[in-house]
Amino acid sequence: MKAVRIHEHGSVDNLRYEDAPEPRSLGPRDAVVKLKAASLNHIDIWNRRGLTGVKLTFPHILGGDGAGIVAEVGDEIENIKPGDAVCLYPPSGCGHCEFCVTDREYMCVHLRVLGEREDGTYAEYVRAPARNCFPIPPGLSFEEAAAFPLVYLTVWRMLLTNAGLKPGEHILILGVGGGVASAAVQFAAYIGTHIIVTSSSDEKLAKAKSMGAEHGINYKCADFAKEVRRLTGKRGVDVVVDCVGGESHVKSLASLAKGGRFVTCGATDGATPATDLRRIFWNNLKIYGSTLGDRAEFRELLNFMEASRTKPVIDQVFPLRDAAAAQKRMEEGKQFGKIVLSIDS
């Protein structure tokens, strides 16, 4: 099969479009999926550069999100069959720890995620546990079905499970344009909240407003914390989505109303920001970290996608052989929404 692999950590030049062995050693509870599309996530770049701390076995196939047609299933599988169109729930656990036995595999200390400790979806075929294969919501293309699982599940957990976002509340979403931020805008708009977004691009701010954001702040031109206070009559927002980190962290906390909720799943601008703990306890703030979510939440997300007819925002589709160009676009921060790889075989 054709795949995009890395043979060592490094730049986008290390991504090689080449022949690779098809997945073998199919277990009784596994499935092989013939992929039609895969999508990019920032974790792909960090794994390529060797920044996650996960020891990869080279050559390695990146990619945690994918959708396609079931090609083969193990002897004990009943939930899917060859020919089914599926999208993939990315994580798998050890099956034995306190988190796995309570169906919280995403917190397993031996977590295995496609594209990290397992070969991923930048390929024509991928092997995955059959219980991680879910029917594609009606109305979604393969490209759209590959674009939402990892990011949209994480945002679902951040906004719905953890933050408990409610209609009429105010939410600040930092760095609009990436997959997480665009998904957060979609969910917040559907719920019926007052949305403020930040970006260094006026074009991205305009796109966010077309999706339901009420206000856009160019953080290169204004102090977004002061602007949020002004826009909310000095009250602040109920929820902040900050996956940027770095210097923005202090301003994010300053943007929250008393009793506000801060949610994060990343730190693209720095993971060790300065902070003022007094602001957290004086204002009774709640801070939630999120990565992925459980299968029950994934089923809720799939039901939501079907009932609401929500489709992920896709920035651009590249052929698999151009994965390096796709990752370069993400590294340069040019995208608005998800970048997808189309896999024709």
Side-chain angles (χ1 to χ4, degrees):
M1 69 173 183
K2 290 295 186 181
V4 173
R5 303 194 295 182
I6 56 173
H7 293 251
E8 61 182 354
H9 296 299
S11 71
V12 292
D13 295 334
N14 288 46
L15 293 169
R16 299 185 190 176
Y17 179 72
E18 60 190 7
D19 290 319
E22 292 185 12
R24 296 178 180 175
S25 302
L26 185 68
R29 299 181 181 179
D30 290 338
V32 171
V33 176
K34 183 177 183 180
L35 291 164
K36 296 295 185 180
S39 71
L40 274 62
N41 295 286
H42 280 285
I43 193 67
D44 301 344
I45 294 172
W46 299 332
N47 276 316
R48 188 200 76 218
R49 295 169 62 188
L51 301 178
T52 63
V54 175
K55 187 175 181 180
L56 305 182
T57 300
F58 296 112
H60 181 74
I61 302 172
L62 299 170
D65 275 327
I69 302 293
V70 176
E72 186 179 356
V73 297
D75 296 336
E76 299 179 9
I77 303 308
E78 297 180 356
N79 64 306
I80 56 172
K81 63 184 183 302
D84 286 351
V86 296
C87 56
L88 301 174
Y89 173 80
S92 300
C94 67
H96 307 293
C97 69
E98 60 182 298
F99 301 111
C100 288
V101 297
T102 54
D103 202 24
R104 293 178 293 164
E105 288 182 68
Y106 61 95
M107 293 178 65
C108 176
V109 295
H110 302 292
L111 185 67
R112 305 181 71 86
V113 179
L114 291 174
E116 291 191 349
R117 292 186 173 93
E118 303 281 354
D119 275 337
T121 56
Y122 289 16
E124 292 180 332
Y125 291 89
V126 69
R127 182 179 61 235
R131 68 194 299 253
N132 286 14
C133 298
F134 288 80
I136 294 174
L140 295 189
S141 66
F142 284 114
E143 289 79 12
E144 291 165 338
F148 80 85
L150 194 151
V151 161
Y152 280 64
L153 175 59
T154 299
V155 175
W156 183 273
R157 182 167 186 80
M158 285 199 298
L159 294 189
L160 281 300
T161 304
N162 288 339
L165 186 65
K166 300 177 180 63
E169 291 191 315
H170 290 76
I171 183 171
L172 170 66
I173 301 169
L174 270 61
V176 74
V180 168
S182 58
V185 171
Q186 284 184 291
F187 287 155
Y190 188 86
I191 291 170
T193 62
H194 303 285
I195 305 168
I196 304 172
V197 297
T198 75
S199 176
S200 61
S201 165
D202 290 335
E203 181 182 358
K204 291 183 179 182
L205 293 175
K207 287 183 179 179
K209 286 183 179 180
S210 72
M211 294 170 58
E214 294 181 11
H215 303 284
I217 303 170
N218 189 320
Y219 63 80
K220 294 290 187 180
C221 304
D223 183 316
F224 73 79
K226 291 181 180 178
E227 279 295 292
V228 166
R229 289 288 172 180
R230 182 184 67 82
L231 292 169
T232 58
K234 298 184 179 181
R235 175 184 178 272
V237 296
D238 301 285
V239 175
V240 169
V241 178
D242 181 354
C243 298
V244 178
E247 295 180 359
S248 69
H249 180 73
V250 172
K251 294 181 180 179
S252 292
L253 295 182
S255 301
L256 282 166
K258 286 192 173 183
R261 292 95 76 194
F262 174 98
V263 293
T264 182
C265 67
T268 56
D269 276 1
T272 56
T275 192
D276 186 345
L277 293 176
R278 293 169 298 182
R279 186 184 294 277
I280 296 173
F281 58 75
W282 279 341
N283 291 332
N284 287 274
L285 303 182
K286 300 176 181 66
I287 298 178
Y288 296 100
S290 295
T291 55
L292 297 167
D294 60 31
R295 286 184 178 80
E297 290 167 313
F298 194 59
R299 293 187 187 95
E300 291 172 358
L301 171 61
L302 293 173
N303 291 337
F304 169 82
M305 301 288 283
E306 179 176 356
S308 67
R309 300 186 182 276
T310 295
K311 294 187 176 184
V313 178
I314 293 181
D315 171 73
Q316 193 169 334
V317 179
F318 291 79
L320 178 63
R321 67 172 62 247
D322 292 341
Q327 283 203 1
K328 183 178 180 181
R329 180 172 176 82
M330 175 174 278
E331 281 189 302
E332 293 175 348
K334 293 181 177 180
Q335 82 280 9
F336 189 97
K338 294 287 292 182
I339 299 174
V340 177
L341 301 175
S342 177
I343 305 169
D344 295 321
S345 58

